[in-house]
Amino acid sequence: MAWLVRNYDLVIAATWEHLMLTIETVIIALVISLAVGILAARHPLVYRLAVTTTGVFFTIPSLALFPCSSPWWAWAGFRL
């Protein structure tokens, strides 16, 4: 707590920088997602491409984390 009091100005500056970076990123993502959403609602091909692309983006992290669960599966008695 003493460090926080001594470095209050640094904490405020870092917090402000973090907020600005986060807000910029969220606004950019919102603009892109609204544009893709409107196009997907009007064009079936864009809809299929958007759903496929987002499905791949959601699958990649789980594939990367799957080997991390292997020790748990082995401990539970399952063989992969």
Side-chain angles (χ1 to χ4, degrees):
M1 190 68 172
W3 183 90
L4 189 62
V5 172
R6 282 193 316 267
N7 296 299
Y8 181 74
D9 55 341
L10 179 65
V11 172
I12 294 298
T15 302
W16 182 254
E17 182 179 359
H18 173 73
L19 283 173
M20 289 300 104
L21 288 170
T22 303
I23 289 170
E24 290 173 5
T25 305
V26 168
I27 289 172
I28 291 169
L30 180 65
V31 169
I32 292 171
S33 64
L34 281 174
V36 170
I38 291 169
L39 283 173
R42 294 181 181 171
H43 303 288
L45 177 62
V46 176
Y47 172 79
R48 282 182 270 156
L49 287 172
V51 169
T52 302
T53 304
T54 55
V56 168
F57 285 152
F58 278 113
T59 302
I60 290 172
S62 22
L63 288 176
L65 289 175
F66 186 68
C68 297
S69 67
S70 294
W72 184 84
W73 288 109
W75 176 78
F78 294 103
R79 297 197 189 272
L80 297 177

